[in-house]
Amino acid sequence: MPETPADAARREHALACRSQGECRVSAYLSPVAEPIPTRADAEADAVGKAGSESGAGRFPGGPAGFEHVAPRLKAMIRVARYHGFELDPNEFRAASAGKFANAADLSQWAQSGGMWSRAVRIRWSHLLRFEQTGPVVLLFSDGGAGLLTGASAERNVVYLKSVDAPDDAEGVAIDELRLLQVWSGEAVLLRPARSYIAADAPFTFGWLVDLVRLESRPLRDIGIASFTLSVLTILPPLIVMTVVNKVLQFSSISTLALLSAIIAVVFVYETLLGHARRLIVNVVGARLDTKLNLHVFSRLLRLPLDYFERHPAGETLYHLAQVYRIREFLTGKLLTTFLDLITLAVLIPVIFYINATLAWMVLACAVVIVSIIFAFLVPLRRRYQQVVDAETWKSAALGETVVGIKTVKALGLEPQRNALWDERVADAGKARLAFGQLANWPQTLVTPIERVMVLGTMLIGAYLAMNDRSGYMVGSLFAFMMIAQRVAQPLVGLARLVEDYEEVGAAIGEAASVLNRPLESSSHSAGLRPKLVGEISFSDLTFSYIGTKTPALDRVSFEIPAGTMFGIVGRSGSGKSTIARLLQGINRDYSGFLKLDGVDLKEINLRHLRQGLGVVLQDNFLFRGSIRDNIIAGRPGLTLSDAMRAAQLAGAAEFIERMPNGYDTYIEEGSPNLSGGQRQRLAIARALIHDPTVLILDEATSALDPESEAVVSANLMRIASGRTVIIVSHRLASLTECDHILVMDQGKVLDVAPHSVLLERCAVYRQLWFQQNRHLDGRHGRLAAVPPRPV
């Protein structure tokens, strides 16, 4: 394409900027005076829009929801949406301390969103190959980004589109000179994950086989090395046979010297190949271990809360601990057996070549060993299942004691827990003893056959050598014995692999009992992501917990306008906390309708929903770490000033600043260095760090002392400003300022109205109020006045 006058002017201007050290995108894209706009102007404008840091606002015609998003994040979101994925900018966590997000951070962000992504550094020649691919994110030197939508090797141009361009806009052709002024080679590649290992696939042995298959290239290298080592293994026995038959018989020194040199070379190659093979095996083992652990933990996090509420923590941990046995099997015995099979494929033809009679004897012994092991598989499987059951109950008792150690100490339950532990240990010991006694029989029966395989072949070979007239049988016998020892061990190991597989199969079943549970809806891309306002509507909703016939909520209908403070009260078991659980998406198997801002809650992306909610429970868990880390746990990219603002709003700043290390004060497990009120205020600050649209306080103040409750109540009106606040409480005095109060009884709605109205027309509410506020004057019998609520 011929260079236009505008192109020449821009090239000269860019070279001048570069020589002066001022090669910024804005300088390079500064307009050049032209009477009529040319295509070069459009090209420069495209690069300018793609690289400018000022384009962080909502762009016209582009996807919605990009307010105040940095250009690099915006580019990633555009490409992800092209592939059908949704990346949340609130989940971006920059590891770098620089001003702009680097390629590695962006790639990690996309991977956590369920996509395949790589941060790369490429050249112009590589860009020209992206002719028919999807969009590629190019990272510019000034912190901006652009979308590479295509390339033309014939014209030597690539097509770029601004991150603010509409979806249907065409890319503008940019040549190498212009692009290199703003781009140093950094790019991020994105596409949907096309792995054989599906994140939602059941955890089975077939899944594990697919996991191993992904390492086909290093396994191929291991196979080649093993085959070569097997060939080298044949040479020493053959050399020994030659020494016995040739050197000793004919006293040939030259032959001995030649064989010595060959042996030295073989030893060197065998040592180097063995070292390389072990290195590759270690790498493959580490990769399999990493993938397995990441998959297991990811599945664990996606299990619904119902599972953890119905299963003891110790039971779950024991089942998941079986994954380590599976890992050892994959990277240990299974891989070793795979290598042994390669060795057998090379050595078995050789022993038949040396002596067919002795070779058949070795194979016959191996068949008998396999038959014995197979005969014990079924009873061993039953006995091992008893071991698993006993160990599961033992682990559950241990986990329950550790989790409830405060109650154990407070009530002096040590003798009872000791007795329970003794019973569980005895059951597990009996089961293991029975399994070990049965498993001992195959080993007892196999041992003499193994001896026959080695010593019997030697004796029969000696007999054959004495009747051999050629004189070469002695050397063949030596060679056969050396090779037979290497053949016998893999044959026996292959037979025992089946026995090991039975145990691993049981371990897979135990791990699968946890990992194959129904998962929560996908938090990566499934579901709608509406902009939350806070309007909530229950319409004829009925819900029952698993295993119960009485519904926890029975045809419940009510509405919560956006921006209001809404209270929920009722007797124990009336369904108050169930409403809060449904709003969080913990349970979704209800009938009827639950809508948030007019959208059915079942259709909303779970991660998006929970990031729009702030939840404070009666008993909140604080993680091991500093106070600051706990406050910003849901938004790790935020700073100390953000944590301080949330703490101030929650009324926690006062006691935090009095601590020796302030916001860096370390919290141990169980937070023993904090009072209940302090923990609760930190939990409120943690919930507010998201700036949630809807704040749910589920019995959040019921366990607080009066002073702490007064502090939280004093800040409640300030906290509620601009958001919907739902307060679930059995203490009616904390709900008097609510715009509306919902009264529940046995899963049904009795009434919805302000406090003063409910006192007049709702008998249940009036009864609860009098029960909690019966501060009577002894002489007059009048109800004491309720003190005003501090604001």
Side-chain angles (χ1 to χ4, degrees):
M1 185 175 62
E3 187 180 49
T4 64
D7 293 339
R10 291 185 184 280
R11 179 170 53 81
E12 294 175 0
H13 179 68
L15 293 176
C17 290
R18 174 181 291 180
S19 63
Q20 297 174 6
E22 299 176 352
C23 186
R24 298 176 300 171
V25 174
S26 57
Y28 171 70
L29 298 173
S30 58
V32 179
E34 289 288 333
I36 301 176
T38 63
R39 182 174 179 83
D41 295 322
E43 296 173 355
D45 290 339
V47 178
K49 290 179 180 179
S52 176
E53 187 71 35
S54 62
R58 181 189 298 274
F59 53 91
F66 278 6
E67 298 92 339
H68 310 296
V69 177
R72 292 189 171 188
L73 302 187
K74 193 182 301 183
M76 295 287 292
I77 295 174
R78 293 290 299 272
V79 177
R81 288 185 177 178
Y82 172 86
H83 292 293
F85 284 77
E86 190 70 32
L87 297 179
D88 190 345
N90 292 326
E91 296 178 4
F92 176 74
R93 181 175 183 177
S96 60
K99 180 179 179 182
F100 306 118
N102 60 36
D105 293 335
L106 295 171
S107 177
Q108 182 63 39
W109 176 41
Q111 291 175 20
S112 66
M115 302 189 68
W116 179 94
S117 180
R118 288 291 183 273
V120 295
R121 184 173 291 276
I122 53 181
R123 301 177 181 178
W124 171 263
S125 58
H126 298 150
L127 292 184
L128 295 178
R129 301 175 186 175
F130 292 97
E131 296 185 9
Q132 303 296 331
T133 61
V136 176
V137 177
L138 301 185
L139 305 182
F140 296 148
S141 304
D142 69 338
L147 302 179
L148 176 72
T149 59
S152 174
E154 296 181 357
R155 300 179 57 192
N156 197 34
V157 296
V158 296
Y159 296 94
L160 283 187
K161 187 165 69 172
S162 167
V163 296
D164 292 334
D167 289 334
D168 55 355
E170 295 184 358
V172 179
I174 305 294
D175 59 24
E176 180 180 5
L177 179 62
R178 290 183 175 85
L179 184 61
L180 292 184
Q181 304 304 312
V182 296
W183 179 67
S184 61
E186 280 192 297
V188 181
L189 308 180
L190 292 92
R191 63 168 171 78
R194 292 197 296 265
S195 171
Y196 289 105
I197 305 300
D200 295 331
F203 187 82
T204 61
F205 188 77
W207 184 90
L208 294 170
V209 171
D210 288 338
L211 182 69
V212 176
R213 282 174 49 198
L214 292 179
E215 306 297 330
S216 57
R217 182 173 297 179
L219 288 177
R220 179 198 62 192
D221 298 337
I222 294 174
I224 294 174
S226 299
F227 179 81
T228 306
L229 287 173
S230 301
V231 173
L232 295 178
T233 301
I234 301 172
L235 292 180
L238 296 180
I239 291 174
V240 169
M241 183 176 65
T242 305
V243 169
V244 173
N245 293 336
K246 301 292 185 180
V247 176
L248 295 181
Q249 187 173 357
F250 300 103
S251 301
S252 175
I253 300 299
S254 59
T255 304
L256 181 61
L258 177 61
L259 294 176
S260 300
I262 294 175
I263 290 176
V265 173
V266 168
F267 284 171
V268 171
Y269 274 101
E270 188 175 12
T271 301
L272 295 177
L273 281 175
H275 176 72
R277 188 181 73 167
R278 286 189 295 271
L279 285 180
I280 298 175
V281 168
N282 288 334
V283 171
V284 172
R287 288 167 62 93
L288 291 176
D289 183 40
T290 301
K291 291 180 180 180
L292 190 59
N293 279 289
L294 290 176
H295 176 78
V296 167
F297 196 74
S298 174
R299 297 274 297 198
L300 182 67
L301 290 180
R302 295 179 60 194
L303 289 175
L305 183 60
D306 278 350
Y307 168 81
F308 297 99
E309 292 174 340
R310 296 196 308 269
H311 294 82
E315 176 187 341
T316 301
L317 292 176
Y318 175 76
H319 289 329
L320 293 181
Q322 303 305 307
V323 172
Y324 295 102
R325 300 190 59 187
I326 301 169
R327 178 198 64 187
E328 292 174 0
F329 177 77
L330 289 177
T331 60
K333 294 180 180 180
L334 183 63
L335 190 57
T336 302
T337 304
F338 167 74
L339 301 179
D340 288 342
L341 290 176
I342 298 176
T343 302
L344 289 176
V346 176
L347 296 185
I348 288 180
V350 175
I351 63 173
F352 272 94
Y353 168 76
I354 295 176
N355 192 297
T357 302
L358 299 179
W360 280 115
M361 184 176 177
V362 170
L363 289 182
C365 292
V367 170
V368 174
I369 293 173
V370 172
S371 301
I372 292 174
I373 292 177
F374 269 97
F376 280 86
L377 283 182
V378 175
L380 282 174
R381 186 183 308 164
R382 288 196 294 264
R383 291 286 178 87
Y384 189 75
Q385 185 59 47
Q386 295 174 3
V387 173
V388 169
D389 294 339
E391 289 290 344
T392 300
W393 284 109
K394 187 180 78 171
S395 183
L398 177 62
E400 189 178 40
T401 302
V402 172
V403 172
I405 192 64
K406 291 183 179 179
T407 302
V408 172
K409 294 291 185 182
L411 300 180
L413 300 179
E414 290 91 345
Q416 290 86 344
R417 302 309 296 182
N418 259 325
L420 177 63
W421 180 249
D422 289 344
E423 181 182 350
R424 297 286 186 259
V425 170
D427 292 341
K430 291 177 182 178
R432 286 200 173 275
L433 180 60
F435 174 76
Q437 289 174 343
L438 183 61
N440 187 38
W441 276 107
Q443 180 64 37
T444 302
L445 298 176
V446 162
T447 299
I449 301 176
E450 292 182 8
R451 298 296 180 263
V452 170
M453 185 185 297
V454 178
L455 300 178
T457 54
M458 182 184 67
L459 296 176
I460 295 178
Y463 174 77
L464 295 176
M466 287 188 297
N467 295 311
D468 180 54
R469 297 182 178 180
S470 64
Y472 292 106
M473 185 61 192
V474 176
S476 300
L477 178 60
F478 276 103
F480 186 90
M481 295 305 301
M482 294 178 66
I483 298 178
Q485 290 180 358
R486 299 198 173 217
V487 171
Q489 185 177 0
L491 284 174
V492 176
L494 182 62
R496 288 178 177 166
L497 178 70
V498 182
E499 181 181 351
D500 296 330
Y501 170 72
E502 288 300 318
E503 295 186 13
V504 171
I508 292 175
E510 293 303 309
S513 67
V514 176
L515 300 177
N516 288 349
R517 297 273 178 174
L519 304 176
E520 287 185 325
S521 301
S522 174
S523 58
H524 291 315
S525 58
L528 304 175
R529 295 174 179 261
K531 183 177 180 180
L532 302 183
V533 178
E535 181 182 351
I536 300 170
S537 172
F538 282 71
S539 178
D540 200 27
L541 187 145
T542 300
F543 170 76
S544 299
Y545 288 102
I546 298 176
T548 60
K549 296 181 179 179
T550 304
L553 297 177
D554 187 9
R555 307 190 66 167
V556 170
S557 298
F558 64 90
E559 294 184 356
I560 304 176
T564 61
M565 187 183 299
F566 192 85
I568 303 177
V569 300
R571 298 185 178 97
S572 296
S574 60
K576 305 186 300 296
S577 295
T578 302
I579 293 176
R581 289 170 63 94
L582 296 183
L583 285 173
Q584 299 170 56
I586 294 175
N587 302 98
R588 288 190 166 190
D589 50 345
Y590 53 81
S591 62
F593 298 96
L594 169 54
K595 295 184 179 181
L596 179 58
D597 298 326
V599 181
D600 195 318
L601 202 73
K602 294 180 180 179
E603 304 298 326
I604 300 178
N605 177 272
L606 264 182
R607 182 180 295 179
H608 178 73
L609 169 67
R610 289 171 180 171
Q611 286 183 340
L613 300 178
V615 182
V616 184
L617 306 175
Q618 179 178 355
D619 186 16
N620 293 278
F621 182 82
L622 297 180
F623 295 95
R624 186 192 297 268
S626 67
I627 289 178
R628 177 180 59 182
D629 293 338
N630 270 276
I631 293 177
I632 65 173
R635 296 285 296 276
L638 298 183
T639 61
L640 176 61
S641 59
D642 298 310
M644 294 175 67
R645 280 194 294 269
Q648 188 72 34
L649 190 60
E654 181 182 358
F655 79 84
I656 294 176
E657 293 171 356
R658 290 200 307 265
M659 290 188 167
N661 297 319
Y663 287 85
D664 291 327
T665 301
Y666 194 82
I667 300 175
E668 296 289 349
E669 184 176 354
S671 54
N673 53 335
L674 296 176
S675 67
Q678 291 173 338
R679 284 197 299 269
Q680 205 71 346
R681 280 180 273 174
L682 285 182
I684 295 175
R686 182 172 60 185
L688 294 175
I689 199 70
H690 290 280
D691 190 21
T693 305
V694 179
L695 179 63
I696 301 175
L697 304 178
D698 190 356
E699 302 285 3
T701 61
S702 60
L704 296 183
D705 57 272
E707 180 182 357
S708 299
E709 184 179 9
V711 173
V712 173
S713 300
N715 289 281
L716 191 57
M717 297 303 296
R718 199 151 47 104
I719 292 172
S721 177
R723 57 172 57 91
T724 302
V725 178
I726 301 174
I727 306 175
V728 179
S729 178
H730 66 274
R731 299 171 67 169
L732 275 61
S734 61
L735 303 177
T736 55
E737 297 295 332
C738 290
D739 300 306
H740 291 85
I741 301 174
L742 171 68
V743 183
M744 298 289 299
D745 188 51
Q746 297 182 356
K748 297 182 179 180
V749 175
L750 293 185
D751 203 346
V752 183
H755 167 71
S756 58
V757 177
L758 290 175
L759 280 178
E760 295 179 1
R761 74 184 190 190
C762 183
V764 172
Y765 185 85
R766 185 166 55 250
Q767 179 184 7
L768 292 174
W769 176 262
F770 287 151
Q771 287 176 350
Q772 296 179 20
N773 298 274
R774 198 177 297 275
H775 310 300
L776 297 176
D777 187 294
R779 293 170 298 175
H780 302 91
R782 292 182 292 104
L783 186 65
V786 178
R789 185 175 185 174
V791 179

